Amino acid sequence: VKKYIDIPADLTNAQIAYDLTMRTVEVEAVVDTAAKFHDIVVGQITSVEAHPNADKLKVCLVNIGETEDVQIVCGGSNLYSGEKVVVSKPGAEVYWHGESELMKIKETKMRGVASYGMICGAEEVYLGDFYVIVDLGDVDAAPGQNIADIIGMNDTVLEIDNKSLTNRPDLWGHYGIARELAAIYKLPLKLLDEFDAPTGLKDYDVEIINAEKCYRYA
């Protein structure tokens, strides 16, 4: 919607939902798509060492954009220095090893070695639709950057009840909602990008047999 109108900085999503509901359509929910990615950031591994008390664990130092690298114990076998990974900091909520219940990450010790956070696989941090193994080496991302920004999930979704829209086809798209908000808040509405139709399309002749039942076919 922000492609078509400049929403004032002090206009909250809650206020937009309320004003749309009172004037136009029923907004049932406001969803912050980035909310579940809180404290889930890009990390860059700076070293990988063997765990002194466990053959299958590694002790990694990871740059997560803070003043000092943090130490994380991980069971991944394919970790290497310089790798960009997904790190869940203390406070993040993840699906531990793909389990069905969310678990809040805390600082802990694993086999006697302190561990700050967790280096995560895709299914653990809602990224199963984006990655199988999360290696962000080809992604333009800096340590400490939130994952929601990387995958374009830093957005707001207004869930609008369908019965509010059935007789308003002008609102069946983002531009229509933007036009409505422009009217509510007296904001200028930007023009849609000009569309250049492709050439060489097949031409179809349409004849309306009964003009009383079908006024126009387009």
Side-chain angles (χ1 to χ4, degrees):
V1 169
K2 288 181 178 178
K3 288 171 59 179
Y4 309 119
I5 56 173
D6 293 324
I7 297 176
D10 60 348
L11 187 59
T12 65
N13 293 324
Q15 186 65 49
I16 292 173
Y18 177 83
D19 291 337
L20 272 176
T21 299
M22 291 296 100
R23 300 183 186 216
T24 308
V25 291
E26 184 179 344
V27 180
E28 293 190 319
V30 179
V31 180
D32 177 2
T33 61
K36 64 184 179 182
F37 293 101
H38 71 89
D39 295 311
I40 300 176
V41 302
V42 177
Q44 187 161 26
I45 297 174
T46 55
S47 71
V48 180
E49 304 291 342
H51 192 292
N53 303 317
D55 293 338
K56 294 184 178 180
L57 295 178
K58 305 291 184 184
V59 181
C60 303
L61 286 180
V62 188
N63 176 6
I64 58 170
E66 299 185 358
T67 54
E68 295 182 354
D69 293 352
V70 297
Q71 179 174 282
I72 298 177
V73 177
C74 182
S77 59
N78 57 343
L79 301 175
Y80 58 90
S81 181
E83 182 180 11
K84 287 183 182 179
V85 293
V86 175
V87 173
S88 291
K89 297 161 60 176
E93 295 175 292
V94 305
Y95 290 106
W96 178 264
H97 298 308
E99 293 180 4
S100 59
E101 297 295 327
L102 283 171
M103 183 192 74
K104 181 172 286 190
I105 295 296
K106 297 182 290 186
E107 290 190 62
T108 186
K109 285 188 176 182
M110 297 184 68
R111 300 292 294 271
V113 175
S115 181
Y116 178 95
M118 174 181 174
I119 296 174
C120 297
E123 295 293 343
E124 292 168 325
V125 285
Y126 325 103
L127 298 178
D129 293 336
F130 299 89
Y131 300 97
V132 177
I133 299 172
V134 187
D135 185 336
L136 302 175
D138 296 330
V139 178
D140 183 15
Q145 192 171 0
N146 190 274
I147 289 298
D149 297 330
I150 303 300
I151 61 173
M153 290 292 285
N154 51 351
D155 205 350
T156 299
V157 176
L158 302 177
E159 293 186 358
I160 296 174
D161 186 84
N162 185 59
K163 68 178 182 291
S164 304
L165 289 172
T166 51
N167 66 333
R168 289 292 303 273
D170 59 307
L171 299 179
W172 291 356
H174 292 106
Y175 194 71
I177 295 294
R179 184 194 298 112
E180 198 71 17
L181 292 175
I184 291 173
Y185 300 118
K186 297 180 172 57
L187 300 172
L189 179 67
K190 300 174 186 178
L191 296 176
L192 281 169
D193 295 334
E194 186 173 338
F195 174 72
D196 294 322
T199 59
L201 297 179
K202 188 175 180 179
D203 189 26
Y204 293 92
D205 293 325
V206 176
E207 179 185 1
I208 297 176
I209 303 298
N210 189 328
E212 292 182 358
K213 294 184 177 180
C214 178
Y215 304 115
R216 181 180 68 170
Y217 186 94

